[in-house]
Amino acid sequence: MSANVNTSLPLEYQTEQSRMNILGFWIFLGAEIVLFATLFGVYGVLYERYAGGPTHQDIIMMREVMIQTILLLTSSFTCGLAIFEMRRNNLKGLITWLIITLLLGVGFLFMEVNEFLHYIHEGATMQTSAFLSSFFVLLGTHGLHVTVGIGWAILIIIQLLQRGLTPVTARKTFIIGLYWHFLDVVWIFIFTFVYLKGMVA
Amino acid sequence: MGIKWNEILITGDPLILGSQIAILLTMIGIVGGITYLKKWKWLWTEWLTTVDHKKIGIMYIISAVLMFFRGGMDGILMRVQTSRPEMEFLNAQHYNEIFTTHGVIMILFMAMPFLIGFMNLVIPLQIGARDVAFPQLNALSFWLFFCGAMLFNLSFVVGGSPDAGWTSYFPLAGKEFSPGIGNNYYAVALQISGIGTLMTGINFIVTILKMRTKGMTLMRMPMFSWTTFITSIIIVASFPILTVALALMTFDRLYGTHFFTLSGGGLDMLWANLFWLWGHPEVYIVALPAFGIFSEVIATFSRKTLYGYKSMVFSIVGIAILSMVVWVHHFYTMGAGPGVNSIFSITTMMIAVPTGVKMFNWLFTMRKGRIKMTTAMLWALAFVPCFVIGGVTGVMLGMGAADYQYHNTLFLVAHFHYVLIPAVVFAVFAGTYYWWPKMFGHMLNEKIGKWHFWLFVIGFNMTFMPMFFLGLDGAVRRSYTYSVESGYAPLFFVSFIGSIILALGFAAFCYNIYWSVRYADRNIPSDPWDARTLEWATASPVQHYNFAKLPEVKSMDAFWYMKKNNEGLTLKKEELEEIHMPSNSGLPFIMCVVFGISGFFLVFEWHIAAAVAAVGIFAGLIIRSFDYNDGFHVHKEEIEQTESAWRNGEGEVNRYVGKR
């Protein structure tokens, strides 16, 4: 299952197994879209069921959320730069930009955890109302994905340091790039439909 | 962590005590038997660590047969309990648990794995590939399914079974009304096996899109490959919804959130919608591959190309799309209103159109064919009228206004058994008789097979036909007993007798397996049915690399074409090349154990222990990430030996030209 090698393609697409892995990952992202769409649907049904608890305007910290958004969107850009360096066969540039991406991701995560703790101190917990249940689970699922992505990327960086750029490591890096951009797209929807819509509701 | 030791083992019920003893004795027997025969190493290297799609398929099928037995026992217990009015065999709680586990096990742990087993076994062979796209992921899919199935089955002896129906509707399934841990089993076990199923879906989409052999265009694919492809797409589109629904259920039950609760602004109808947004496509996830099996069996034993191939493909695509837009028909009476009900009535009835197209295509395939009445073909023949009864009553139920009359009665129960048993169970039996020689190199006994067939089909009709009339008379489903005055007793008794005949049919099936494994003739050609598709172009049982030389496809019914034109059947020595194959791995099995332990702790709400065990899951993922094992090469000498051994047998159409 490896024989079919085509060296005219970018490194990550050269072997048949790599092409299959990348297609498989796109299909997995399709499943992830359904997963998040379901969570958005749940949120869309429950978002005004405050049950006497706090509403959006009572709790949302727009300034912090704005900074989180900028951090995550920038990390998606730096992730794109990392893949660009990979295509130029520049291992050092690739790893540098990947680490910058991860630092931005950690920053995002740190702020999100603080935001959650702030809400909980205000008495807005997952158990307070249906609105907050759906709010925390939707955002928490995204945050969990970012956390997993950071851990996963660290594994890839170690492998890049061990093995350099090979068809296999290039494919792995490319796939986590897809994953990272996907999380960014999900965040844009969260920012729009949870935060912005919540502020004007 | 608040462990309540006295609640762990279920005590005080003689039936369950009997099961506990039986389980213990069986386990001791298995462990003792393997140790006595010194088969541990063989078990580990040949089966538990395998990534071979054929062996994984066989393991799926064995598990499914075991689950069929378990689910069938539940069914028989229900029939016994309702065989007479005011029967006191099971109490109400026990009856609730039994119909819940019967539904879950039959759909998720019998029907799906049986069909996924056949997909694993057949698809790479049918499209001319040497394995699936991701062999190790495939093993993980199996082991996660197995883990979920075992965890779910544990519930009735350890901790208590779920008892809120296989649909687990809220608020009944919530903590307020079901405080026990039974429904935690439902949420956790289904979650684990659901992840496995989702990965199977991804695996088969990539396999079918990327690994077809030369000349095997999409529109030349055998129908079973097409139905598997479309089924995999439905799996990827619908299983994430189940993942979310079960996760939210877990949050509600374990962490006090308010998604489906009555208090705190929760919305119980949200569960019904999410469940059926997955649940209705699920019906087609089990029905479509079954249709594929019938298509193969009918074409082979009518000795004709499948009639209306293109319309078959379009109808399965149509069914797949429609399956996503009918979910409300499962709860017309729960207050959606006439406007919504009308729309969903129309979409529901539209499904009858592509299904009807398929029915006529099967009939026209048989028309003027030279039909061979094998056991496999008998199942396909019985499927047609039985399934039409299920389909027509489905249209009756599909009309929103009329449904108010039938809903929640045994009429509905009869309807879906008339759909699922002819479509899925008849199909897996047909598939078992048809592909058994491909799996094991010997046939199942046709004479016992006919006993199996007639007992099962007569028993099935006798069990479920009375339920239509009971339902029209007002007998409600899920009720553990009824009064003498209701007048239901005679029909319930007929149904009970039917279920005994049904069980005898299943016993004949098991006896057939036993008889054939011991006594059946091993000296059969690799193509005993004179079949049409590529899985028959190689040895039976299939050698681990599937094809010494990948076949080239020139038309539909590729193997039939090869036989008619005598092309590509011979293998010459100089054509042999080394073959690259993936290595075995113990990781998927270990992941199954870790998931099982973690899931078990979660069921009992021992959160810290569950979290500690879950570290093992991440450890497994990290080990996998650093695993650069690239597989191994099969040497030419080994291929030559294998190929000349089977190709030069008596009555063999495939030949090998070597030195001799």
Side-chain angles (χ1 to χ4, degrees), chain B residues 415-490:
Chain B
H415 152 71
F416 68 68
H417 282 91
Y418 260 90
V419 173
L420 287 169
I421 292 182
V424 181
V425 180
F426 288 13
V428 297
F429 285 148
T432 309
Y433 282 91
Y434 182 59
W435 282 308
W436 190 269
K438 197 72 330 211
M439 287 188 262
F440 300 111
H442 61 88
M443 312 261 247
L444 282 174
N445 185 299
E446 286 282 308
K447 201 173 162 195
I448 308 173
K450 274 160 197 159
W451 273 100
H452 167 207
F453 171 79
W454 286 109
L455 286 171
F456 199 91
V457 171
I458 292 169
F460 154 69
N461 278 290
M462 215 170 133
T463 309
F464 294 104
M465 186 59 82
M467 289 192 196
F468 281 122
F469 302 102
L470 283 168
L472 291 177
D473 285 347
V476 292
R477 70 189 292 207
R478 292 173 173 168
S479 168
Y480 81 109
T481 193
Y482 52 94
S483 65
V484 184
E485 294 75 29
S486 64
Y488 297 149

Side-chain angles (χ1 to χ4, degrees), chain A residues 17 21 49 127 130 133 159 172, chain B residues 133-134 255-256 258 264-265 625 628:
Chain A
Q17 189 63 48
N21 281 28
R49 300 174 83 93
Q127 290 83 8
S133 298
Q159 288 168 42
K172 289 187 173 194
Chain B
F134 314 117
Y255 306 113
H258 294 287
S625 180
Y628 275 73

Side-chain angles (χ1 to χ4, degrees), chain B residues 584-649:
Chain B
N584 284 0
S585 167
L587 199 53
F589 177 74
I590 294 166
M591 287 293 260
C592 160
V593 175
V594 174
F595 263 96
I597 295 170
S598 187
F600 182 81
F601 288 145
L602 198 59
V603 166
F604 281 87
E605 304 180 18
W606 303 338
H607 300 292
I608 298 166
V612 171
V615 171
I617 297 171
F618 287 99
L621 292 172
I622 291 169
I623 291 168
R624 176 64 184 143
S625 180
F626 282 92
D627 176 13
Y628 275 73
N629 187 329
D630 208 23
F632 64 98
H633 285 90
V634 188
H635 294 297
K636 275 190 199 174
E637 296 74 45
E638 188 195 333
I639 301 170
E640 192 188 348
Q641 224 169 21
T642 318
E643 293 298 316
S644 60
W646 72 272
R647 281 171 182 265
N648 296 329

